[in-house]
Amino acid sequence: MPGDVEFMRLALQRAEEARGGGEVPVGAVLVREEKVVAMGANRPIGSHDPTAHAEIEALRAGGRSLGSYRLTDTTLYVTLEPCPMCASAIVHARVRRLVFGAWDPRAGAAGSVIDLFALPGLNHRVDVFGGVLMEECGELLRRFFAQRRA
């Protein structure tokens, strides 16, 4: 049975696809009952859509796949700590678990800048786990931005 590392490797593959398209390399995989329901990759540049983050793309595809915007009993794997927009969408979608790779000290909403998941008064709680394949996820981003600066 696949586990967090295997699903994060799938998210890394999606991140590589985003990088190949000139997007910031972030990938996401939505899983229910150990089966991939949907995947997403960053595409705000190519789609001209500021909301087309990997997480949002996976949540949208998951909603279509499952026939509901409530993605209960799912786990979302993301290569980078979600931003506030994505964290809010994850809560609203009722995702059960969030597993992410690299921390985002500039925009992370799972503890780096803010912990949106811990805000009081939210009607849903998400179990959050950071640092899965953190080095691989972070290195992909570091290489991408180093190449852009060169």
Side-chain angles (χ1 to χ4, degrees):
M1 175 165 28
D4 290 349
V5 170
E6 289 79 14
F7 288 122
M8 187 62 75
R9 288 200 190 288
L10 286 176
L12 273 166
Q13 290 173 8
R14 297 297 295 166
E16 286 285 0
E17 291 173 20
R19 184 189 61 77
E23 303 278 359
V24 174
V26 179
V29 174
L30 185 67
V31 173
R32 182 186 270 173
E33 297 175 358
E34 303 302 319
K35 294 183 179 110
V36 174
V37 172
M39 294 191 278
N42 257 11
R43 54 182 213 94
I45 297 167
S47 68
H48 310 291
D49 178 357
T51 69
H53 290 193
E55 300 94 313
I56 302 297
E57 295 293 297
L59 294 175
R60 286 176 179 155
R64 287 189 300 271
S65 174
L66 297 172
S68 176
Y69 77 95
R70 290 196 173 179
L71 306 175
T72 56
D73 297 321
T74 60
T75 299
L76 183 64
Y77 296 87
V78 187
T79 58
L80 180 64
E81 179 184 4
C83 72
M85 173 185 72
C86 294
S88 295
I90 291 164
V91 170
H92 186 69
R94 310 293 200 279
V95 171
R96 183 175 51 86
R97 284 179 75 226
L98 166 67
V99 179
F100 67 89
W103 296 87
D104 185 351
R106 294 190 177 159
S112 289
V113 174
I114 186 173
D115 189 351
L116 191 135
F117 299 99
L119 291 176
L122 292 177
N123 62 348
H124 176 72
R125 293 286 169 210
V126 178
D127 293 329
V128 179
F129 303 92
V132 175
L133 295 182
M134 179 173 58
E135 288 303 316
E136 291 93 330
C137 294
E139 183 57 29
L140 180 60
L141 288 159
R142 282 188 290 280
R143 280 195 326 256
F144 174 80
F145 286 112
Q147 288 171 347
R148 289 189 74 176
R149 287 197 255 334

